[in-house]
Amino acid sequence: MDALLPLAGMRIVEISSFVAAPLGGMTLAQLGAEVIRVDPVGGGPDIDRWPLAPSGRSLYWAGLNKGKRSVTADLRSAEGRGIVARLAAECGTVLTNAPPRDGLGPDELAAPRPDLVHVQLLGRATGAPRSTTR
């Protein structure tokens, strides 16, 4: 890790797939953050996305996840979600574009770590802006 990079020393947990959050995580990693991507058992929904390298692996997936570390967890199980929640509490920052799951919502993740930063990128498959009412 290059200590001269602006985000050196920052640790981020990324729970994501497809474009917005993986690109955000890659950018943060290039700025020096340690980004730990959470992958489901067997790989995320974008692991086999076209275009494919001769090896059969997705060039898209490899490109958006360069510079990141990875941990595999079964987010369908309470044990897997607990592992990710503890990792989020340890790191202090979560980047996601996934819908909240039991135990992994912003309020639940912040319970043991009130200063936790939780960023959820929202979008539509069409690329149109998404509006929310609060």
Side-chain angles (χ1 to χ4, degrees):
M1 180 181 346
D2 187 341
L4 298 177
L5 293 172
L7 299 182
M10 184 176 198
R11 298 181 74 208
I12 299 166
V13 175
E14 178 190 304
I15 306 167
S16 68
S17 61
F18 301 109
V19 181
L23 179 60
M26 182 189 75
T27 302
L28 295 168
Q30 289 174 332
L31 291 170
E34 177 185 4
V35 178
I36 304 167
R37 176 181 170 88
V38 176
D39 286 309
V41 176
D46 53 351
I47 195 166
D48 295 322
R49 187 175 179 152
W50 187 86
L52 301 177
S55 66
R57 301 300 288 188
S58 171
L59 292 170
Y60 163 87
W61 188 89
L64 285 179
N65 292 301
K66 62 185 174 186
K68 299 177 188 175
R69 298 178 68 189
S70 177
V71 64
T72 300
D74 182 359
L75 298 180
R76 295 171 294 177
S77 74
E79 179 183 13
R81 291 188 305 272
I83 290 167
V84 174
R86 287 189 295 280
L87 182 61
E90 179 184 318
C91 292
T93 304
V94 175
L95 171 64
T96 186
N97 61 351
R101 293 189 161 110
D102 287 343
L104 296 178
D107 294 335
E108 295 162 301
L109 292 174
R113 173 101 188 228
D115 66 338
L116 181 110
V117 175
H118 186 278
V119 178
Q120 184 173 22
L121 301 174
L122 302 174
R124 297 182 190 278
T126 63
R130 183 170 182 166
S131 60
T132 59
T133 306
R134 295 216 179 220

